[in-house]
Amino acid sequence: MQTANLLPLILVIAVIAYGLAYMRSRSVAGPLGGIRNLKALPFYYAARAALWCAIPALIVLSAWAAFEGKVIQSLVVSSLPAELLPQSAGEASLLMSQINNVAAGKLNPDFVPADVVGAADMLGTLKAQSSQFKTVLVVLISVLGAAFAWSRVQPQINARENVERTLRWIFFACAALAVLTTVGIVFSVIFETVRFFGKVPITEFLFGTSWSPQTALRADQVGSDGAFGVIPLFTGTLLISAIALLVAVPTGLLSAVYLSEYASKSARSIIKPLLEMLAGVPTVVYGFFAALTVAPFIRDLAEMIGLEASSQSALAAGLVMGIMIIPFVSSLSDDVINAVPRTLRDGSLALGATQSETMKNVIFPAALPGIMGGILLAASRAIGETMIVVMAAGLAANLTANPLESVTTVTVQIVTLLTGDQEFDSAKTLAAFALGMMLFILTLALNMIALKVVRKYREQYD
């Protein structure tokens, strides 16, 4: 049985264990005093049985799924004769791909060596045996866990403490998984970034003004060095993001103030869903709108007033990106403003302040942390956007502050560097990880600045 099919089976067994343990807890309580004779409510005895049933089985199932493929691959490869054994990781991947294709019927066995066909048969047999053994083991563990928990339903046992202790460990494991995932991502990026700086000097990367990462595939080709100056990319990123925030922050914030303080219920019920619909539009649609409508309009308008504008410009991408992130600012700010206690409003109005003064001096400082969170989310969304930039601003790494010229961003170049068949050890491919590291540092700096601003205004308000 497949892993995806075992999960509902474990759930069914856990539900059955829950019901049986619940009935047993009610029966052992006795007629005199009822559940007051128990040290915990029947719910906790039933929940403990379900946890004993599900958690060990899920642990075994996860471990099996993690190591099953590697163990089977090792057994299959070790069964091959010495002349077919792979000499590198790449050869091993190609060999296993060939064996899997033969086993799945996608490759004619007549076109491969007989030993490979035998390995494919062995692969199918091992997978079938592994699936059967996995099913039996997981079901057996679930049933044994349920039976053990059912037998431990006794009045003197405090099941509530057991359940709460188990839940605390589950919550800790989830939090640790999130933290370890973040740490793993950071260290993997750092490792590849260090490899990149072993090929390209860090000073050239940080202070170079030219970005041309194309390197030669052979040593005898001309132009094999490439240029890895990151300043044009971050200039384009900050330029487009700044334009987007100049559009989104005032529009979103003022619309949130209007919806929360001045709009009638009927107007709010119409305007707020329409604003939130902008967040559901795919970015490729925004890209089409920017490339086919906004960019030509900006070019024609610039020509009318005597300016030279590119057919793909940072202004077009920034304007459309600003429209896209308006809901992030508006919706979050509106929710935060509405969450301010009504007593603050009433107290300010009772002291003679006008509605605008109340908004400026009382509500806005109280809602500032949430508003800054919405603006930060919008800024992160703008910095990480790719599709609109590709379609409206282009791929040219120009070092310019003119919004009418075409530019590119860090995320666009990351996608470009990792697109297609690339040699993973080349400086061109490793540059994507260095760019990702710099982008991570940039967003971290934005978070720190936002926290300082929030802390400053919160202290002023207090």
Side-chain angles (χ1 to χ4, degrees), residues 311-358:
S311 58
Q312 293 179 317
S313 63
L315 183 59
L319 290 176
V320 176
M321 195 183 298
I323 296 173
M324 181 190 68
I325 63 178
I326 284 176
F328 291 93
V329 180
S330 175
S331 182
L332 290 175
S333 299
D334 177 57
D335 294 338
V336 171
I337 291 173
N338 285 325
V340 175
R342 186 69 189 178
T343 54
L344 293 179
R345 293 181 173 87
D346 295 340
S348 177
L349 295 173
L351 291 174
T354 63
Q355 190 172 9
S356 60
E357 290 173 340
T358 300

Side-chain angles (χ1 to χ4, degrees), residues 11-22:
L11 179 61
V12 170
I13 299 175
V15 171
I16 295 174
Y18 180 94
L20 294 176
Y22 187 87

